[in-house]
Amino acid sequence: MAEKQLLTQKGYDERVALLEELKVVRRKEVAQKLKEAREQGDLSENAEYDAAKDEQRDIEAQIAELEAILNNCEIIQDTGKKDKNKVKMESVVKLHDIEFDEDIEYTIVGSSEADSLNNKISNESPLGAAMIGKKVGDVVKVEAPAGIIEYKIVAVQN
């Protein structure tokens, strides 16, 4: 059995909304495109039909993937501990890269929510795992291909 995926409440809600959108709206749109393409006659050389079938396949794959995630996830609950300086899931952490003397901010999320373009890192990533449980002022060391990288935790927002 697959390992449970951790999701924030926000991540869970976003996936439920996307699944609903795909099932209710996008499926109907593609069905209409297929109907219109069929009405054009010969399907063997019908680019619109082929494109609609491809889109339908992509939507169904996305639906299956979302359903698998939602059926095998655990929503991270705030445990009620109000330690504002401690890094945990959903924390927004401001780090100072000691070597390059620059600051960067990350949000700690479950692996299926990770999005490097939006500075959302997985709790299972080397940096995410190293930060969990740490406090403002702690130095986090992460092994990377270029060597050990050190970050100082400057701020934690929970």
Side-chain angles (χ1 to χ4, degrees), residues 54-104:
D54 289 344
E55 187 177 356
Q56 181 182 44
R57 184 181 58 247
D58 293 345
I59 288 170
E60 293 304 322
Q62 200 173 1
I63 288 170
E65 180 182 354
L66 283 168
E67 286 177 337
I69 289 169
L70 293 173
N71 288 332
N72 191 38
C73 73
E74 182 178 328
I75 298 173
I76 302 145
Q77 301 294 329
D78 189 352
T79 58
K81 294 179 184 172
K82 296 297 177 194
D83 189 347
K84 295 287 184 190
N85 293 326
K86 199 173 222 179
V87 178
K88 58 186 178 186
M89 293 294 292
E90 294 188 290
S91 291
V92 177
V93 184
K94 184 175 184 181
L95 298 171
H96 181 76
D97 185 321
I98 295 170
E99 181 181 352
F100 292 104
D101 192 30
E102 61 185 19
D103 290 344
I104 189 157

Side-chain angles (χ1 to χ4, degrees), residues 34-48:
L34 285 168
K35 180 180 178 222
E36 290 169 5
R38 277 191 206 103
E39 290 171 354
Q40 294 175 8
D42 184 13
L43 298 180
S44 64
E45 295 183 20
N46 188 326
E48 288 86 7

